[in-house]
Amino acid sequence: MGNYDEDTAFLGQKGQFFIILFFLLNTIYISTGFHSLYIVFVGASPLHHCLVVAGNLSEVWMNASIPKETVKGKLQPSQCQRYILETVRNLSAEGYLPQDVNLTDIKQEKCVDGWTYSTDIYHSTIVSEWDLVCDNEWKVPFASSTLYMGYLLGSLVSGQLSDRFGRKKVLFISLAAEALLILAQSFSNTWLIFCILYFFVGAFQISLYITAFVLGTEVLSKSLRVLFTTLGVFLHYCIGYMVLPWIAFAIRDWRCLLRVLSGLTVVYIPLWWLVPESPRWLLAQGRVMESEAIVKRAAKTNNVEAPDVIFKESEVKEETGKESGNYSALHILKSGNIRKTTLMCLMLWMAINMGYFGLSLNTSNLSGDPFLNCFLSALTEVPAYIVSTFLLKSCPRRPLLSAFLGIGGGFLLLIQLIPESLHTLALALEMAGKFGFTMSFTVVYIYTAELYPTVLRNLGMGICSSAARIGSITAPYVIFLGTFNKYLPYILMGSITIVLSLSNLFLPETFGKVLPETLEEMQKCKNFLKRENLSLEERQRKRKNSLHQACEQHY
């Protein structure tokens, strides 16, 4: 097949067709911001305590029937224990509280009659509806992790589906399926059904994310392609993420919230007629006429004249026998240098995703307004993406990633030193930590792609992406540790990140170096600390010398 970029160069770089498509694809990413973190509000745990059936108890005894306990430095009614009511009733036969009663002498029992929940912030959540507290508290982080389990499945399957059926079909099927599943989730009558549906929401959501990313890189011009894959995708995701808490603020019932989020997807229906299929994919399938029709429509929109024949039939052949098709995951394990590099990348991806999603999910547990906290958490990502994108153009990857990891982990470790009264300062430190993790998120994508040779790049990125899902699956459980000690999640995430910020220095530098093409070129690492970094001219000269020596030996 001929060079697609050369064959379509007449379209230009910033024509109207590309600009319209750029914004249409980015609007799809706004929906991923809506749908990826609604569990923060749907799965929030309102203030609660044991339900006390009134009987002949006075209001004073109703309040006195619940023991007091210290939670996160504050004295509040116990959430899982109450005094044995039979004893309470016997002591208050006339309906008032005797002054000589010592409450500490009364035995306690579990909340056998259920719980009562505060409706000051949330009118209804899955926690208050299905009593996911106390002995069932573990079900909340499990429900959160099912989304990321779905991510793991979707990231493994979506690429194969879009390669077989086309980018456009998989994109819009994923978008429609995600909306219908969220709508069905709002009618869940049990926690188990909610989790099963949430798993498939995650699978279709990551499929939507990846397929739109691939479609944009294949259809957009080279100049807009770079902007789309950096600031475009991330910033529009942030827009959805920032709008989410205000929708949740207006709709405090979890079922209504899901129905509204699902219904907003209706606005994407017209995009089916506006977003084209990938001409590159059509060419790879041998569908030359359809590919040319899309390119000619793009030329008309850009007000340029297209040649009568854009792609020659003789050049459109399926490329077989390429070196990249002969490699599997076993080749990553065969070489010591590649094996060590992959191990380091896996740990980096897991830690960064654990920290990023952990802090995103933790906003409902912070002091202050949970809706404002979620908005601030999303807002910190905007400058993080902008700053990291510009730094990547001129700074080495290795120290840049270590610095961002150090910022993220360092601020989290400082939180435990902040007094209880300075919760605003603690919130600021957590937002600063989120800023560091977000910048690390941006860098690690590009850095990993530059580390692997062309023949293993897709495979290496796929393995690292799978490791990232493991990190995001564990994130809800890391946050759950805060129920035992509120500083424990920060200490764990901060410590792991600081260690990796130092161990990251053992990876080779890639900035300003020619991307490795073959397995042998990536293996040119010395003691895992030093890589033979050759410029393009040096590498070409070395190859010519090798060829010259081979010719001399032949003759």
Side-chain angles (χ1 to χ4, degrees):
M1 184 169 60
N3 189 300
Y4 177 86
D5 289 328
E6 292 180 359
D7 293 339
T8 59
F10 63 88
L11 291 175
Q13 290 295 314
K14 295 183 179 179
Q16 187 177 356
F17 173 82
F18 295 125
I19 294 174
I20 293 174
L21 185 60
F22 175 84
F23 285 106
L24 290 179
L25 289 176
N26 277 320
T27 56
I28 294 177
Y29 281 99
I30 297 177
S31 73
T32 64
F34 286 149
H35 298 158
S36 61
L37 288 167
Y38 61 73
I39 191 65
V40 170
F41 304 106
V42 170
S45 181
L47 291 175
H48 56 276
H49 58 77
C50 293
L51 176 64
V52 178
V53 181
N56 62 340
L57 298 180
S58 65
E59 184 177 352
V60 176
W61 255 115
M62 288 280 291
N63 296 330
S65 299
I66 307 298
K68 297 294 189 293
E69 63 182 11
T70 302
V71 179
K72 297 182 180 180
K74 296 181 180 179
L75 189 65
Q76 64 182 38
S78 173
Q79 297 179 341
C80 301
Q81 297 288 326
R82 71 179 187 184
Y83 295 120
I84 296 178
L85 294 188
E86 290 300 324
T87 305
V88 172
R89 288 192 178 93
N90 292 335
L91 291 173
S92 60
E94 297 183 5
Y96 61 89
L97 176 64
Q99 297 181 356
D100 57 347
V101 173
N102 186 0
L103 294 177
T104 58
D105 295 334
I106 304 177
K107 293 183 178 180
Q108 298 181 13
E109 63 182 355
K110 294 183 178 181
C111 303
V112 293
D113 294 324
W115 289 261
T116 180
Y117 298 90
S118 170
T119 56
D120 293 341
I121 300 177
Y122 307 101
H123 296 166
S124 173
T125 69
I126 62 172
V127 174
S128 61
E129 183 160 336
W130 296 319
D131 290 333
L132 306 183
V133 293
C134 300
D135 291 342
N136 289 323
E137 194 172 7
W138 63 271
K139 293 183 178 181
V140 179
F142 182 86
S144 300
S145 67
T146 54
L147 176 75
Y148 306 115
M149 295 177 191
Y151 277 11
L152 180 58
L153 174 65
S155 61
L156 295 174
V157 175
S158 62
Q160 300 176 40
L161 292 177
S162 64
D163 285 342
R164 180 174 180 180
F165 300 106
R167 308 341 186 182
K168 181 177 178 179
K169 288 182 180 177
V170 173
L171 171 64
F172 284 96
I173 289 174
S174 298
L175 185 62
E178 182 189 18
L180 291 175
L181 284 166
I182 293 174
L183 180 62
Q185 201 177 20
S186 71
F187 292 96
S188 302
N189 55 10
T190 65
W191 166 80
L192 180 60
I193 293 177
F194 180 92
C195 291
I196 293 173
L197 292 173
Y198 206 28
F199 172 83
F200 289 104
V201 168
F204 283 106
Q205 186 178 120
I206 197 66
S207 175
L208 167 68
Y209 192 98
I210 294 174
T211 308
F213 192 91
V214 172
L215 182 60
T217 56
E218 291 183 346
V219 181
L220 293 173
S221 62
K222 186 176 181 180
S223 59
L224 284 178
R225 188 186 311 155
V226 175
L227 186 62
F228 172 75
T229 55
T230 53
L231 291 181
V233 170
F234 294 127
L235 288 183
H236 284 80
Y237 165 83
C238 281
I239 292 174
Y241 186 6
M242 286 189 289
V243 174
L244 171 65
W246 303 116
I247 299 176
F249 176 80
I251 306 171
R252 308 295 182 94
D253 178 80
W254 75 272
R255 293 185 184 273
C256 291
L257 175 61
L258 291 187
R259 289 163 192 167
V260 170
L261 293 177
S262 173
L264 290 174
T265 311
V266 174
V267 300
Y268 293 110
I269 292 178
L271 267 62
W272 171 262
W273 293 275
L274 299 176
V275 175
E277 180 56 90
S278 167
R280 294 176 188 263
W281 178 81
L282 291 171
L283 282 177
Q285 303 298 311
R287 296 157 64 176
V288 182
M289 299 300 293
E290 295 177 59
S291 181
E292 284 195 346
I294 293 174
V295 175
K296 289 180 179 179
R297 188 164 68 247
K300 183 178 180 180
T301 306
N302 288 350
N303 293 320
V304 296
E305 186 175 350
D308 295 332
V309 179
I310 301 174
F311 308 112
K312 295 180 181 179
E313 292 279 357
S314 58
E315 293 181 349
V316 182
K317 298 178 181 179
E318 185 176 357
E319 298 180 7
T320 58
K322 281 190 172 182
E323 187 181 18
S324 60
N326 298 326
Y327 286 90
S328 66
L330 294 177
H331 288 84
I332 290 180
L333 302 176
K334 287 181 179 179
S335 167
N337 285 328
I338 298 180
R339 187 165 57 243
K340 293 174 184 177
T341 300
T342 300
L343 179 61
M344 288 295 304
C345 289
L346 293 179
M347 292 190 295
L348 283 170
W349 281 65
M350 282 191 287
I352 292 172
N353 275 263
M354 180 193 299
Y356 174 82
F357 286 104
L359 294 178
S360 298
L361 294 172
N362 192 47
T363 53
S364 61
N365 299 324
L366 300 177
S367 301
D369 190 291
F371 305 102
L372 179 60
N373 292 339
C374 183
F375 173 76
L376 293 176
S377 180
L379 187 62
T380 57
E381 295 190 18
V382 176
Y385 288 132
I386 296 174
V387 170
S388 59
T389 299
F390 283 102
L391 289 177
L392 280 168
K393 294 181 179 180
S394 57
C395 296
R397 284 42 169 142
R398 184 171 57 186
L400 198 62
L401 181 56
S402 292
F404 291 163
L405 289 171
I407 291 172
F411 280 117
L412 293 189
L413 291 177
L414 288 176
I415 291 177
Q416 59 185 314
L417 304 178
I418 305 302
E420 292 285 346
S421 57
L422 300 177
H423 58 82
T424 303
L425 179 58
L427 176 62
L429 289 178
E430 178 155 344
M431 294 301 109
K434 178 72 178 298
F435 182 83
F437 277 104
T438 303
M439 291 193 293
S440 303
F441 209 95
T442 307
V443 176
V444 77
Y445 268 90
I446 296 177
Y447 190 22
T448 304
E450 293 175 343
L451 283 170
Y452 284 99
T454 302
V455 295
L456 283 177
R457 190 165 294 126
N458 284 338
L459 180 61
M461 291 292 289
I463 292 175
C464 290
S465 180
S466 298
R469 307 307 160 212
I470 296 174
S472 55
I473 289 171
T474 58
Y477 296 100
V478 173
I479 298 305
F480 181 64
L481 295 175
T483 58
F484 305 101
N485 185 314
K486 72 174 185 178
Y487 297 118
L488 196 55
Y490 302 120
I491 294 173
L492 181 60
M493 290 187 293
S495 301
I496 293 175
T497 306
I498 291 295
V499 171
L500 286 177
S501 70
L502 299 175
S503 60
N504 171 63
L505 297 175
F506 287 82
L507 284 171
E509 181 55 68
T510 61
F511 178 69
K513 306 300 185 296
V514 178
L515 291 178
E517 297 291 340
T518 65
L519 199 64
E520 290 73 19
E521 289 178 2
M522 184 181 178
Q523 290 175 352
K524 293 176 182 177
C525 299
K526 298 179 179 180
N527 297 326
F528 191 47
L529 292 171
K530 185 177 180 182
R531 179 179 179 177
E532 185 181 358
N533 293 314
L534 302 177
S535 66
L536 178 60
E537 294 78 9
E538 291 171 336
R539 185 168 293 181
Q540 290 175 342
R541 184 167 56 252
K542 188 171 182 179
R543 287 173 177 170
K544 288 180 180 179
N545 292 337
S546 299
L547 180 61
H548 181 68
Q549 292 174 4
C551 290
E552 287 181 345
Q553 292 176 2
H554 176 73
Y555 290 106

